[in-house]
Amino acid sequence: MRLELQKRAQVSTLFSILSPLLALALTLVVGGIMFWALGKSPTGALYTFFVEPLLDVWSLHELVIKAAPLILIAVGLAICYRSNNWNIGAEGQFTIGAITGSILPVLYPEWHSPMILPLMLVMGMIGGALYAGIPAFLKIRCNTNEILTSLMLVYIAQLFLDWLVRGPWRDPQGYNFPQTKSFQVEAVLPEVLDSGRAHMGIVFTLLAAVLLWFMMRFMLKGFQVSVLGQSARAGRFAGFSAKNMVWFSMLLSGALAGLAGISEVSGSIGHLQPTISPGYGFTAIIVAFLGRLNPLGIVASGFVLALTYLGGEAAQLSIGISDKVSRVFQGLILFFVLSCDTLIHYRIRLIFNPSAATAEAKN
Amino acid sequence: MFEAILLTVITASTPLVIAALGELVAERSGVLNLGVEGMMIMGAVSAFAAAQLTGSPYLGILAGIAGGALFSLLFGFLTLTLVANQVATGLALTILGLGLSGQLGESFVGMPGIKLQPIVIPLLSDIPFFGLVLFAQDLIFYLSVALVIGISWFLFKSRAGLKLRAIGDNHGSAHALGINVVRVRYLAVLFGGACAGLAGAQLSLVYTPQWVENMSAGRGWIALALVVFASWRPWRLLAGGYLFGAVTIGQLHAQAFGIGVPSQLLSALPYAATIVVLIIISHNRRMTLINTPASLGKPFVPDR
């Protein structure tokens, strides 16, 4: 028996929509089998994992808090990946954005002005963009592979944050905890609703998603992204600059990751500490693919992936499975999404008798 | 003293060299597998688990190789059979590997490990200075040297190696010549996975004989950079691997001596060194173009 791919004459619209759903269904099946292998009831565990977190107001707020950075980072990454620039260092840009955005509240804790919050957000975006500018610059000037450089910069950014909060930025009254002073009230992102912790970060996120969707759909820049991504040669004939696209996509995704970083620190943590992200920058890569690199699709997939974080916590508390399960689910989702995407471009045929099939093809 | 440092450099370099060698073969066949980190950590956890359960570090090595190889099959199926995007699939492999190994290794956290004992080669190990460093090592070190020699011979002196390189340079022509592109690539990916698994086994049986989550700490990615650094040549890769090992150990010793530099800055050195090395190597655009396998990362669907 053999699998054979047959190129479709046209991209299948049906499977473009169906593929992420199919991938989720397959993830649930394999996840159920995994729970069963761990000696838990598959349906009960899946219920705890994927349904229970949606049932009370508190955890819905947590869902929004986790979805906001994922979506914000992922829409930026989608532009990168569409244009064939492989920024996988969003985690580092998130960290640097959080650091540069925190400069004002950490150094001027007595500054009580409404100006401080907008300034922080802008500085966070600039920090993230500059940090993403390093692999962009190296790619353009030195022909360096941006996958490796952006990833190495993640480790460096995390070590830099670690040094800051244990060294120069440590709160002297913090009982030796490695963290900065808590931000003043004016430097904390306000909550969206009175009912819980979800902060304004989700508003920036949805705004960014809609704007980028509009850009990809209706603006020349969006067209440039697609053309240069699909064929750099065709883009050159159209007079589009591949170099400018490297700058544009990397700086944009860096700025959005930086904004996500400072929003997370200001809105949900309230100070800097050695670890500020449960791997949002990497999970956002999955979000981007599950959303089929479409900003609106990414909004939906961001909530799905946020649910895997909450589900992991819930599963740990109520059925005693480690929260590492979330990472497994996230990996599985990406795998199935990538496999199902094949169906969009190819028809899959199972061939039971290879030699006969070849003869048939020749006739 | 100097001998001791040299010994630790070798221990730190061996996993980098082995993992990078496997990736080198895969990339020579035109497959870019960014999942080295994931395969490595799966190898590490399999090796540790098998050694704990059977009490034999040698069975641990075998389990590590098998763990890495099996895991790479997943990548092979997606990118070779289903022609999925290689970059994205490699990332998926890394994310899944880190999660799955954390899950599998949960019950082994904090357990004292079983260290792979060195094999002292009589007579040769009596050579002053170099004897103990080179000939009183563990099995995995000897394997790493054998792999460099073997792969170098295979790629440039054997017929099968020629075929593999031909596929990496132009899969269309190779297919037209009647070479089974997909089969050879599957084998290359499997070999890459086995090597990454062996490198992982070295981490959990020799380097730090215990299981710690995420213990590969970016070594898989450094191995990927090493392949570029070595411009896809095994002997240059060996040299590069030892350079990186020396940087890693150098910063550890500097931390131990407490030279007034923040420890985080020193810990960042191997990663910064990777970037610097990539810049130096990639700067010469023509050199890189000549050496890079021309169909690296490109999808292949046989037309019949």
Side-chain angles (χ1 to χ4, degrees):
Chain A
M1 198 187 86
R2 199 180 59 198
L3 266 179
E4 201 177 277
L5 298 186
Q6 242 178 7
K7 189 134 185 121
R8 290 179 195 274
Q10 272 171 338
V11 171
S12 159
T13 339
L14 174 69
F15 277 108
S16 305
I17 300 162
L18 220 56
S19 125
L21 301 176
L22 200 61
L24 286 178
L26 286 168
T27 307
L28 289 183
V29 171
V30 173
I33 296 174
M34 184 177 72
F35 284 131
W36 173 76
L38 289 169
K40 314 280 172 193
S41 141
T43 46
L46 285 177
Y47 182 82
T48 317
F49 207 95
F50 288 107
V51 183
E52 237 171 56
L54 299 173
L55 295 184
D56 65 86
V57 179
W58 176 84
S59 50
L60 281 178
H61 274 275
E62 291 300 308
L63 189 72
V64 171
I65 289 178
K66 295 214 157 54
L70 288 176
I71 298 169
L72 196 51
I73 300 170
V75 287
L77 291 182
I79 306 300
C80 272
Y81 299 165
R82 278 277 187 97
S83 67
N84 217 3
N85 289 301
W86 292 93
N87 175 12
I88 61 167
E91 183 84 2
Q93 292 137 27
F94 178 96
T95 307
I96 294 296
I99 293 172
T100 52
S102 303
I103 292 177
L104 288 177
V106 169
L107 297 185
Y108 304 100
E110 301 305 323
W111 193 29
H112 300 284
S113 151
M115 277 302 293
I116 190 167
L117 197 57
L119 280 174
M120 283 164 64
L121 297 175
V122 169
M123 286 170 75
M125 289 176 79
I126 293 176
L130 286 179
Y131 208 57
I134 302 174
F137 174 80
L138 293 178
K139 180 175 182 174
I140 292 169
R141 286 298 297 274
C142 311
N143 198 24
T144 318
N145 182 325
E146 76 276 17
I147 299 174
L148 294 172
T149 47
S150 63
L151 189 94
M152 290 297 137
L153 287 169
V154 173
Y155 293 100
I156 296 176
Q158 286 170 339
L159 286 162
F160 181 58
L161 172 65
D162 194 77
W163 172 71
L164 272 180
V165 294
R166 286 174 204 278
W169 280 12
R170 179 156 68 186
D171 179 9
Q173 276 104 45
Y175 304 104
N176 251 343
F177 280 114
Q179 59 185 47
T180 63
K181 273 200 195 77
S182 289
F183 293 177
Q184 61 267 46
V185 189
E186 290 81 1
V188 171
L189 267 182
E191 284 148 9
V192 193
L193 298 170
D194 292 333
S195 60
R197 292 199 325 126
H199 54 77
M200 292 299 283
I202 188 68
V203 178
F204 309 144
T205 298
L206 297 178
L207 205 64
V210 171
L211 285 177
L212 286 180
W213 171 78
F214 184 83
M215 184 196 87
M216 288 306 290
R217 186 110 170 85
F218 297 110
M219 285 167 64
L220 177 63
K221 199 77 198 171
F223 182 64
Q224 287 184 358
V225 169
S226 309
V227 171
L228 283 167
Q230 280 170 28
S231 163
R233 224 169 109 82
R236 219 170 41 240
F237 287 135
F240 303 156
S241 158
K243 278 185 186 170
N244 286 346
M245 186 49 66
V246 176
W247 280 120
F248 173 76
S249 62
M250 295 290 279
L251 293 184
L252 176 77
S253 64
L256 292 179
L259 180 61
I262 184 60
S263 303
E264 175 75 8
V265 166
S266 157
S268 108
I269 304 178
H271 55 253
L272 278 179
Q273 58 192 33
T275 311
I276 51 172
S277 151
Y280 286 139
F282 295 113
T283 311
I285 298 172
I286 307 175
V287 173
F289 277 101
L290 183 61
R292 310 224 55 253
L293 303 184
N294 173 329
L296 296 187
I298 286 171
V299 174
S301 66
F303 280 97
V304 173
L305 267 297
L307 191 57
T308 62
Y309 278 117
L310 284 190
E313 287 168 16
Q316 187 169 29
L317 285 175
S318 61
I319 45 179
I321 300 177
S322 111
D323 61 349
K324 315 261 171 355
V325 155
S326 334
R327 297 290 294 277
V328 178
F329 267 111
Q330 294 169 359
L332 284 177
I333 290 177
L334 184 50
F335 257 109
F336 285 126
V337 155
L338 293 170
S339 339
C340 292
D341 276 0
T342 305
L343 291 170
I344 298 171
H345 298 284
Y346 298 95
R347 204 171 271 132
I348 294 183
R349 292 203 317 172
L350 281 178
I351 292 171
F352 294 96
N353 187 347
S355 55
T358 323
E360 186 194 328
K362 274 181 186 148
N363 288 334
Chain B
M1 174 68 201
F2 190 68
E3 214 173 27
I5 292 180
L6 218 55
L7 275 173
T8 49
V9 168
I10 287 180
T11 322
S13 313
T14 306
L16 295 176
V17 170
I18 296 176
L21 271 173
E23 178 66 16
L24 185 143
V25 171
E27 289 193 15
R28 276 278 183 182
S29 82
V31 183
L32 179 65
N33 185 352
L34 293 183
V36 183
E37 181 87 3
M39 302 186 296
M40 206 171 181
I41 197 80
M42 285 304 281
V45 76
S46 318
F48 190 85
Q52 285 294 323
L53 297 175
T54 62
S56 154
Y58 291 99
L59 286 177
I61 294 180
L62 284 180
I65 294 175
L70 273 179
F71 204 52
S72 73
L73 265 186
L74 213 56
F75 176 87
F77 179 70
L78 252 77
T79 57
L80 301 175
T81 303
L82 296 181
V83 231
N85 181 316
Q86 293 183 6
V87 174
T89 311
L91 289 174
L93 202 68
T94 293
I95 293 172
L96 186 65
L98 290 173
L100 208 56
S101 62
Q103 174 86 27
L104 293 171
E106 186 121 75
S107 51
F108 297 108
V109 173
M111 268 190 193
I114 298 172
K115 194 172 160 63
L116 186 63
Q117 292 307 318
I119 302 168
V120 180
I121 299 176
L123 293 178
L124 284 177
S125 58
D126 295 334
I127 301 173
F129 193 68
F130 283 111
L132 277 178
V133 174
L134 292 179
F135 299 106
Q137 286 281 357
D138 55 86
L139 177 67
I140 300 183
F141 166 76
Y142 298 133
L143 276 177
S144 76
V145 179
L147 276 172
V148 173
I149 299 170
I151 289 172
S152 177
W153 173 84
F154 168 78
L155 282 177
F156 300 106
K157 294 279 188 298
S158 81
R159 197 174 167 76
L162 183 66
K163 276 187 186 171
L164 183 129
R165 285 188 291 132
I167 291 172
D169 275 331
N170 190 334
H171 48 214
S173 305
H175 175 69
L177 283 173
I179 304 174
N180 190 332
V181 173
V182 174
R183 181 185 300 158
V184 174
R185 284 193 170 161
Y186 255 108
L187 292 174
V189 166
L190 262 179
F191 180 77
C195 283
L198 177 61
Q202 198 266 5
L203 292 180
S204 65
L205 296 174
V206 180
Y207 195 51
T208 43
Q210 51 181 322
W211 167 250
V212 185
E213 216 195 325
N214 294 347
M215 70 186 299
S216 49
R219 287 189 182 83
W221 294 104
I222 293 182
L224 276 161
L226 261 177
V227 179
V228 181
F229 170 77
S231 48
W232 293 268
R233 281 162 200 278
W235 285 101
R236 285 189 204 167
L237 193 149
L238 186 71
Y242 278 82
L243 186 72
F244 272 87
V247 172
T248 312
I249 293 304
Q251 61 94 0
L252 282 180
H253 278 279
Q255 283 190 27
F257 282 126
I259 56 167
V261 181
S263 67
Q264 291 92 343
L265 180 67
L266 293 168
S267 303
L269 270 182
Y271 308 115
T274 310
I275 297 178
V276 172
V277 157
L278 281 174
I279 294 172
I280 296 170
I281 290 299
S282 314
H283 204 67
N284 192 337
R285 227 170 256 253
R286 254 191 67 225
M287 263 286 287
T288 333
L289 272 182
I290 289 170
N291 286 306
T292 316
S295 58
L296 185 61
K298 296 196 180 127
F300 173 74
V301 183
D303 51 334
R304 292 187 175 84

